[in-house]
Amino acid sequence: MEQLAGFLALMVLVTAVLNVASPFLKFAVSLNMLQSWMLSFYILIVAINSNILHLYLSFLATLIFKGFIIPVLLFVVLKKNR
């Protein structure tokens, strides 16, 4: 479980570096969505290990808002600006 948490933390950093270097907005939004999913699952791993309720809520909020709603809205904006 600790190896998975370390891997997810490393991948969050890698996607952050790739996002800064990305010249394409659609790719940057996709990377941001992937990063949000990895961050939320990292929070879930910590919540399972510590069994703290508010971390489960943080996992759900991060996954729903930062992982789904915000990227969908950004894709809609990008599509309208085309």
Side-chain angles (χ1 to χ4, degrees):
M1 197 64 97
E2 290 177 17
Q3 289 179 343
L4 180 60
F7 175 74
L8 287 173
L10 177 67
M11 292 310 295
V12 166
L13 291 174
V14 168
T15 56
V17 170
L18 287 174
N19 207 356
V20 169
S22 173
F24 305 108
L25 287 176
K26 189 173 181 180
F27 182 68
V29 172
S30 297
L31 272 177
N32 191 6
M33 184 171 57
L34 177 65
Q35 183 184 35
S36 300
W37 291 350
M38 288 186 289
L39 177 64
S40 65
F41 285 109
Y42 179 79
I43 294 170
L44 179 63
I45 290 171
V46 173
I48 290 170
N49 286 335
S50 62
N51 202 18
I52 298 174
L53 177 65
H54 72 271
L55 288 177
Y56 289 106
L57 299 175
S58 178
F59 158 73
L60 286 175
T62 303
L63 187 63
I64 291 169
F65 291 108
K66 197 169 186 290
F68 289 109
I69 294 175
I70 293 173
V72 167
L73 292 175
L74 287 173
F75 282 128
V76 168
V77 168
L78 286 175
K79 192 171 186 175
K80 285 184 180 181
N81 282 336
R82 216 184 253 194

